[in-house]
Amino acid sequence: SRSGNVWDNAAMESFFSSMKREELYRGKYRSERELRAAIDKYIQFYNTDRPHETLRYKTPQQKEDEFTRAATPFENP
């Protein structure tokens, strides 16, 4: 990030805050493998199932799909 610009890392800080609050602090993990599996599952949930207020209550995957459709040239059938 640029020196003196606190907003450069805001998106990741928000993600880690959500992951800690919604997953890590609620679970008990018996091994590093369980922890890693829970993190992988949460990331999948965060991107495909969890609506985000800043995305007008759509998931990141839905916004990505919208962008891809808008950026793809119209094809004639």
Side-chain angles (χ1 to χ4, degrees):
S1 70
R2 294 168 287 173
S3 179
N5 189 342
V6 299
W7 301 110
D8 282 351
N9 205 25
M12 287 310 300
E13 293 292 337
S14 176
F15 167 77
F16 284 122
S17 174
S18 296
M19 182 174 67
K20 289 177 187 178
R21 187 177 58 254
E22 296 172 5
E23 176 61 36
L24 300 180
Y25 295 153
R26 292 180 178 191
K28 293 187 186 230
Y29 310 101
R30 294 177 297 216
S31 67
E32 181 180 341
R33 181 179 292 190
E34 281 186 12
L35 173 63
R36 288 177 180 267
I39 291 171
D40 288 345
K41 187 176 176 181
Y42 181 78
I43 291 170
Q44 183 70 22
F45 162 76
Y46 187 88
N47 287 324
T48 60
D49 297 326
R50 183 184 184 275
H52 297 252
E53 182 178 3
T54 57
L55 300 177
R56 296 184 178 169
Y57 296 97
K58 294 182 180 180
T59 68
Q61 186 63 55
Q62 288 171 324
K63 286 301 277 187
E64 178 94 11
D65 293 345
E66 285 179 6
F67 176 79
T68 302
R69 281 192 304 273
T72 304
F74 180 77
E75 296 179 15
N76 288 324

